[in-house]
Amino acid sequence: RIEIIKLDCEGCEVALARDILAEDPDFLTKVDQISIETHVTRYWINSTEHLYYFALQFPLLEEAGHKLEWSSIFGCNKYHEQAGCIPELEATGFPCGFKWRNKVGGPTYGKSCQDFLWKRPKQVGE
């Protein structure tokens, strides 16, 4: 059993659904808690394939018995925020993008990074 995993590696938003679970389909049932920091600008999610695997992680977590315990939206690196998101992601209404605080080229208020904490309740016999 694994008590907690923190997944925060820019650009690996698709790794959970595409790579880790391909290697071990039961992986999520062995993890009690998983904290995932996502980055959704086109700098990281730049194709519909990436978007597919990014979105797939959420139902896979739920299917493994995880419940969303906490989430937060915040700004990423200004350079990444300004890249924006692919149109397919923007069409879903998922938080993405930024607005200028004062003037163009100045600081930004971003919403393209999110933290999620998923928790899987203990099952009988575990």
Side-chain angles (χ1 to χ4, degrees):
R1 298 231 33 99
I2 301 168
E3 290 185 20
I4 187 163
I5 289 179
K6 170 69 170 149
L7 185 61
D8 176 13
C9 50
E10 285 80 2
C12 70
E13 286 73 14
V14 302
L16 180 64
R18 185 188 67 198
D19 303 329
I20 296 172
L21 296 177
E23 194 72 29
D24 181 359
D26 295 323
F27 177 75
L28 291 175
T29 63
K30 301 171 189 171
V31 177
D32 295 331
Q33 295 183 59
I34 185 165
S35 174
I36 304 170
E37 182 175 316
T38 64
H39 311 81
V40 297
T41 63
R42 70 178 69 233
Y43 194 82
W44 305 114
I45 298 178
N46 54 26
S47 70
T48 54
E49 179 185 2
H50 285 168
L51 179 57
Y52 170 80
Y53 285 112
F54 170 76
L56 184 60
Q57 70 183 324
F58 301 109
L60 290 174
L61 284 157
E62 289 177 344
E63 287 174 11
H66 288 267
K67 305 282 185 221
L68 183 61
E69 288 282 315
W70 177 85
S71 66
S72 176
I73 299 170
F74 57 98
C76 298
N77 175 296
K78 181 176 138 181
Y79 171 75
H80 300 152
E81 291 283 347
Q82 292 175 17
C85 295
I86 63 173
E88 295 86 353
L89 179 60
E90 289 177 356
T92 69
F94 197 86
C96 183
F98 73 98
K99 68 177 184 175
W100 298 109
R101 286 188 189 181
N102 302 327
K103 60 180 180 160
V104 173
T108 62
Y109 290 109
K111 56 182 179 176
S112 297
C113 287
Q114 299 87 26
D115 273 334
F116 299 97
L117 177 60
W118 296 83
K119 186 175 181 181
R120 187 173 168 274
K122 295 272 188 202
Q123 305 299 310
V124 176
E126 289 185 331

